[in-house]
Amino acid sequence: MWITGQFVFLLLVALVAAKTKTSAVQDDIAEYKDFKKLLRTKNNVLALYITSAKAAAAELKVFREAAEAVRGTGTMLLLDCGQQDRKKLCKKLKVSPEPYAIKHYKDGDFHKDYDRQLTVSSMITFMRDPSGDLPWEEDPAGKDVLHFSDAASFTKHLRKDIRPMLVMFYVPWCGFCKKMKPDYGKAATELKTKGGYILAAMNVERQENAPIRKMFNITGFPTLIYFENGKLRFTYEGENNKDALISFMLNPNAKPTPKPKEPEWSADTNSEIVHLTSQGFEPALKDEKSALVMFYAPWCGHCKRMKPEYEKAALEMKQKKIPGLLAALDATKEPSIAEKYKVKGYPTVKFFTNGVFKFEVNVREASKIVEFMRNPKEPPPPPPPEKSWEEEEDSKEVIFLDDDNFSSTLKRKKHALVMFYAPWCGHCKHTKPEFTAAATALQDDPRIAFVAIDCTKLAALCAKYNVRGYPTIMYFSYLKTKLDYNGGRTSKDFIAYMNNPPSSADRTEL
């Protein structure tokens, strides 16, 4: 009897484990009101609509695997429109899967149809940033570029493949990288027909690729590094166009054609802008009642974008006889003047009256510059900076931890709810007062802790717990077990959860 009882117990444990393993996909929504409630409480939902599990077996398998990886980042919802109690809901939502349809919902509303590849990695990437651009590795224009997903695949390739290889290390938000990608893809396609050459790429913004960024001291983007026989040879310094890339790969030892030097702004004889120097600064401004001075650096991207607007504004002022002077000063050539007027970044725009500095102005578009010069007025002072969450008076019951005391504190708490957040995150700002109220309501229970972690200051700690979005909320028990919190975000939800925390069968061992 004891053996039978033990067998039954183990069977029950196995069944619970199996249930827990598949619980990443939510499949219990049948009513429209429940569907709308889900969208109100979850801001990142990917819904898979199917006619039957059999008809969409391959898609369902990918969906379930991706759901496991995005726990805490997003919600994966399954709706089987072939089931009798789901048909009405699918019809209400005007979804007709054939045999499947995938739709994304963001911040309570329909966002877009899923338009990425039906692979686990693509689905995970999409859920981490649903509004982001199509990843380069999924863009048909980059099909002949060898994309390394992580440091392991990159180092493995270097050990096994000795062919000449140029690797472009990039980040998705880099404007220069985006501009170069089409030429890089075309060069990869043409080199493929010649054989023996590889153009590769790696997104080094991903946390898992941080070691590569550090290994090669990559500080600017894009950085292109040339490898031969699995060894680094040198950094590519040529032009960022197709022909230059191909010429380099065919003869990497040839001296690259230097990039044409941009002419100095002050050399433009057709410019209406007065270019200042340290000697002429005061004489040029002393008789001007209204003068705007743009402090810039030649390499500064924001300055380059502002230059044509500044020129356009100066021309319009001349044509419309608007009094005043638009001037510019290269702060890299005249550091003493930049230091005197406390220029900390570029471009910085300052207003002067008869050579006397009055105030700083935040105008960069031609229309705004002209509007200001028509009637120069000091802008209102900026609002005082927001207090950090930790400094707010009503947050004293929330525990703010760091790398040094995170583990030691949580090891002493039977029930801890940890909110990983970023100060700029809108959803975090909405959740903060609710989280704080729950902490205050349960402050008398020494077993319970409400903890906050600022991921902009503690990136390594957040990466350790695979935090991909904000806020991410997790439950801990003595730091030995962990569970992603996917409930509502009101104080009542937090209080109810902590008054009835998950059982040991639901927890994940760390």
Side-chain angles (χ1 to χ4, degrees), residues 311-356:
E311 292 277 9
K312 183 180 176 182
L315 184 60
E316 186 176 339
M317 286 174 60
K318 179 181 179 181
Q319 292 170 343
K320 295 181 178 179
K321 295 182 170 49
I322 298 172
L325 173 74
L326 296 192
L329 181 132
D330 183 344
T332 64
K333 283 187 174 181
E334 309 291 350
S336 60
I337 298 292
E339 186 177 348
K340 178 179 178 179
Y341 291 104
K342 299 178 182 179
V343 175
K344 302 294 184 183
Y346 309 115
T348 293
V349 184
K350 294 178 180 283
F351 180 72
F352 291 78
T353 295
N354 299 119
V356 179

Side-chain angles (χ1 to χ4, degrees), residues 159-465:
R159 288 196 302 268
K160 293 189 174 183
D161 197 326
I162 63 172
R163 288 178 293 172
M165 178 173 70
L166 186 65
V167 183
M168 176 176 164
F169 298 95
Y170 71 97
V171 290
W173 46 261
C174 159
F176 293 108
C177 305
K178 290 179 181 179
K179 187 177 180 180
M180 185 178 178
K181 282 178 181 179
D183 275 273
Y184 199 77
K186 290 174 184 175
T189 300
E190 190 166 327
L191 286 167
K192 185 178 179 181
T193 64
K194 299 179 184 299
Y197 306 96
I198 301 173
L199 291 194
M202 176 182 274
N203 177 0
V204 289
E205 186 181 45
R206 293 174 181 165
Q207 187 67 35
E208 57 268 29
N209 294 336
I212 295 295
R213 197 164 167 172
K214 186 176 181 181
M215 181 187 300
F216 297 116
N217 192 30
I218 298 168
T219 56
F221 308 104
T223 292
L224 288 85
I225 300 179
Y226 177 70
F227 296 83
E228 261 185 23
N229 298 317
K231 305 292 183 183
L232 184 153
R233 285 284 307 281
F234 40 72
T235 301
Y236 174 77
E237 299 290 352
E239 285 285 297
N240 294 343
N241 58 57
K242 185 194 80 168
D243 293 338
L245 290 164
I246 293 172
S247 296
F248 169 80
M249 291 302 288
L250 296 177
N251 187 10
N253 294 312
K255 189 175 181 180
T257 303
K259 297 179 182 179
K261 188 178 180 181
E262 290 186 23
E264 291 188 11
W265 189 11
S266 58
D268 184 358
T269 56
N270 296 317
S271 175
E272 296 296 334
I273 303 299
V274 175
H275 290 273
L276 304 173
T277 62
S278 55
Q279 291 81 13
F281 191 87
E282 291 181 3
L285 301 183
K286 68 177 183 178
D287 295 326
E288 292 289 343
K289 185 178 179 181
S290 299
L292 211 54
V293 180
M294 172 182 168
F295 295 82
Y296 72 96
W299 46 260
C300 158
H302 293 296
C303 304
K304 290 178 181 179
R305 283 190 285 275
M306 182 176 169
K307 274 169 58 178
E309 295 291 319
Y310 206 52
E311 292 277 9
K312 183 180 176 182
L315 184 60
E316 186 176 339
M317 286 174 60
K318 179 181 179 181
Q319 292 170 343
K320 295 181 178 179
K321 295 182 170 49
I322 298 172
L325 173 74
L326 296 192
L329 181 132
D330 183 344
T332 64
K333 283 187 174 181
E334 309 291 350
S336 60
I337 298 292
E339 186 177 348
K340 178 179 178 179
Y341 291 104
K342 299 178 182 179
V343 175
K344 302 294 184 183
Y346 309 115
T348 293
V349 184
K350 294 178 180 283
F351 180 72
F352 291 78
T353 295
N354 299 119
V356 179
F357 167 66
K358 292 298 183 179
F359 48 82
E360 201 163 301
V361 185
N362 184 23
V363 287
R364 295 188 183 182
E365 297 173 5
S367 60
K368 298 291 184 183
I369 295 167
V370 172
E371 181 184 341
F372 170 80
M373 293 300 285
R374 284 183 187 277
N375 186 20
K377 287 184 178 179
E378 184 172 2
E386 290 185 19
K387 285 185 178 180
S388 69
W389 189 5
E390 192 170 358
E391 294 173 331
E392 292 175 6
E393 293 181 6
D394 60 352
S395 65
K396 59 184 178 180
E397 303 306 331
V398 175
I399 303 173
F400 296 87
L401 300 178
D402 55 31
D403 292 313
D404 296 329
N405 56 19
F406 183 84
S407 296
S408 59
T409 301
L410 263 64
K411 282 178 180 177
R412 300 195 303 269
K413 292 297 179 180
K414 185 173 183 180
H415 306 299
L417 203 60
V418 180
M419 177 173 159
F420 297 90
Y421 74 100
W424 47 260
C425 158
H427 294 297
C428 303
K429 290 178 181 179
H430 290 143
T431 305
K432 274 165 50 179
E434 302 294 332
F435 197 79
T436 299
T440 302
L442 298 178
Q443 62 180 302
D444 294 331
D445 191 334
R447 302 170 305 163
I448 293 176
F450 284 78
V451 176
I453 300 295
D454 183 348
C455 290
T456 63
K457 296 179 180 178
L458 302 165
L461 181 60
C462 296
K464 178 180 178 181
Y465 289 101

Side-chain angles (χ1 to χ4, degrees), residues 136-147 181 184-185 188-189:
W136 193 10
E137 59 268 26
E138 295 184 27
D139 188 339
K143 61 182 175 61
D144 293 316
V145 175
L146 176 61
H147 295 275
K181 282 178 181 179
Y184 199 77
T189 300

